[in-house]
Amino acid sequence: YDAEEAREEVASGLLARAASAHALHRPARDPRPSWSAAASYTLEDGPDPSDERFDFLRLQAKVLHLEAEDQLIFVELPQLKGVLVAYRSKHARERSPERLHLDRRSLTSCPLLEGEERLKLLNYQNNSISRIENLTNVPNLTFLDFYHNKVQRIESLYALRNLRILMMGKNEVNRIENLEHLTKLDVLDLHDNRIEEFDNLHLGRLRVLNLAGNLIRDIHHVEGLSSLTELNLRRNALSDLAALAALQRLQRLFLSDNRVSALDGVQPLEGLGRLTELALDGNAVCEIPDYRSQMAELCCKLLQL
């Protein structure tokens, strides 16, 4: 995980703690081999001899990629042509039953994961995945990471009723949708996508939302984000902040590099009685004489501006 970039884009103490708690900042590993060369891989030490499924897949299926260190195999089954299947040996699953890191594998699709019902963290960072799929058999996920892929649409998450953290920064998403059933979602990161609208979100437990680096011009009907404490809207095209007045629990708000040009534009923030941190640098409003003193009067609990 690019920790420096995460700090810059998310600017969130809560999100940083969440990522750290789920061990996303792992030591760098050697780049994965290309898929064209993957079939030449063999196990050095061999899998658990009691794992008949691993041996069956290795000998009977079409092996596309096989990793000795992680005892992880990617195959295509005759009865599921065109579907990528991923399987860890029993020994590998017992070592880490709740976490699976499939980052930097040059994946273009989400594999069907066999035997991973206990997973709580699934990491697909830095691949080339264009579509979210094959998640119905991992219903216990609490942390799902698609950072830096090519995902175009938020979909196929209906089975993840326990999901608390969804990381989808640096993708190609143009609309926030299909999230209403994720009633336990706490952190949503969609920075550096192609989102144009921030409208009608209903996620009552969401506390952290990162939409930095999108194409958002307007905000409407955000009353459904009643628990939101942190909102990052850096590097968008916002000039009207009226809708933000509904976010009464907001404590940290990042609006750098937008199009707020007058003090009237920030007037709606006056009603945010819990706001302690506000970033408006890169907006024309910052050039107004006595801007800081006027903002301090407007938002009386600010500790950082």
Side-chain angles (χ1 to χ4, degrees), residues 10-200:
V10 182
S12 167
L14 176 60
L15 189 52
R17 287 195 298 274
S20 176
H22 287 76
L24 282 179
H25 304 296
R26 299 186 301 146
R29 303 182 63 174
D30 293 335
R32 297 290 172 183
S34 65
W35 282 83
S36 60
S40 64
Y41 265 57
T42 58
L43 284 174
E44 296 172 357
D45 301 320
D48 183 340
S50 66
D51 194 342
E52 295 179 359
R53 183 59 175 170
F54 195 100
D55 279 345
F56 172 83
L57 293 174
R58 186 161 59 108
L59 298 174
Q60 302 297 326
K62 180 181 178 181
V63 177
L64 301 175
H65 187 64
L66 191 144
E67 299 173 10
E69 179 183 353
D70 295 330
Q71 294 190 355
L72 172 67
I73 190 170
F74 293 88
V75 302
E76 181 180 311
L77 297 170
Q79 65 272 32
L80 292 173
K81 289 188 180 298
V83 177
L84 183 65
V85 176
Y87 182 84
R88 287 191 295 173
S89 71
K90 288 181 179 179
H91 180 64
R93 290 200 308 273
E94 288 303 319
R95 284 201 311 260
S96 182
E98 297 184 351
R99 303 182 184 198
L100 178 57
H101 294 280
L102 296 178
D103 52 309
R104 297 178 175 87
R105 256 64 174 202
S106 301
L107 293 170
T108 57
S109 63
C110 299
L112 183 63
L113 303 174
E114 278 199 22
E116 298 290 356
E117 292 78 11
R118 290 185 289 173
L119 273 187
K120 291 187 177 180
L121 179 149
L122 179 56
N123 174 11
Y124 280 126
Q125 288 181 14
N126 295 295
N127 284 292
S128 297
I129 296 169
S130 60
R131 182 180 178 183
I132 301 174
E133 57 186 344
N134 293 327
L135 294 172
T136 56
N137 57 339
V138 285
N140 294 311
L141 281 186
T142 60
F143 196 125
L144 179 58
D145 195 341
F146 277 98
Y147 171 81
H148 204 182
N149 276 274
K150 298 181 179 180
V151 176
Q152 299 178 2
R153 187 182 181 195
I154 302 173
E155 59 183 340
S156 302
L157 300 174
Y158 54 87
L160 307 184
R161 302 288 179 173
N162 296 306
L163 197 66
R164 295 189 60 242
I165 300 174
L166 178 58
M167 309 286 280
M168 292 188 63
K170 285 203 169 183
N171 278 278
E172 301 175 8
V173 174
N174 58 29
R175 184 178 179 183
I176 307 174
E177 59 183 341
N178 299 322
L179 294 173
E180 291 77 11
H181 55 283
L182 301 181
T183 57
K184 296 182 181 180
L185 199 63
D186 187 56
V187 176
L188 176 59
D189 182 3
L190 288 165
H191 79 270
D192 284 329
N193 277 275
R194 301 174 181 176
I195 298 166
E196 297 182 3
E197 296 183 1
F198 180 11
D199 189 8
N200 279 319

Side-chain angles (χ1 to χ4, degrees), residues 268-285:
L269 305 184
E270 183 178 16
L272 301 180
R274 302 185 185 186
L275 194 66
T276 59
E277 186 173 351
L278 174 64
L280 280 166
D281 52 295
N283 288 276
V285 68

Side-chain angles (χ1 to χ4, degrees), residues 173-176 190-199 201 209-220 222 231-241 244 255 257-259:
V173 174
N174 58 29
R175 184 178 179 183
I176 307 174
L190 288 165
H191 79 270
D192 284 329
N193 277 275
R194 301 174 181 176
I195 298 166
E196 297 182 3
E197 296 183 1
F198 180 11
D199 189 8
L201 274 183
L209 176 59
N210 184 9
L211 293 170
N214 279 284
L215 306 170
I216 300 171
R217 294 176 177 273
D218 299 297
I219 304 173
H220 300 287
V222 294
L231 176 60
N232 188 346
L233 287 164
R234 285 187 169 108
R235 296 183 290 107
N236 279 282
L238 292 168
S239 57
D240 184 357
L241 307 179
L244 297 182
L255 294 165
D257 298 311
N258 276 277
R259 298 178 181 177

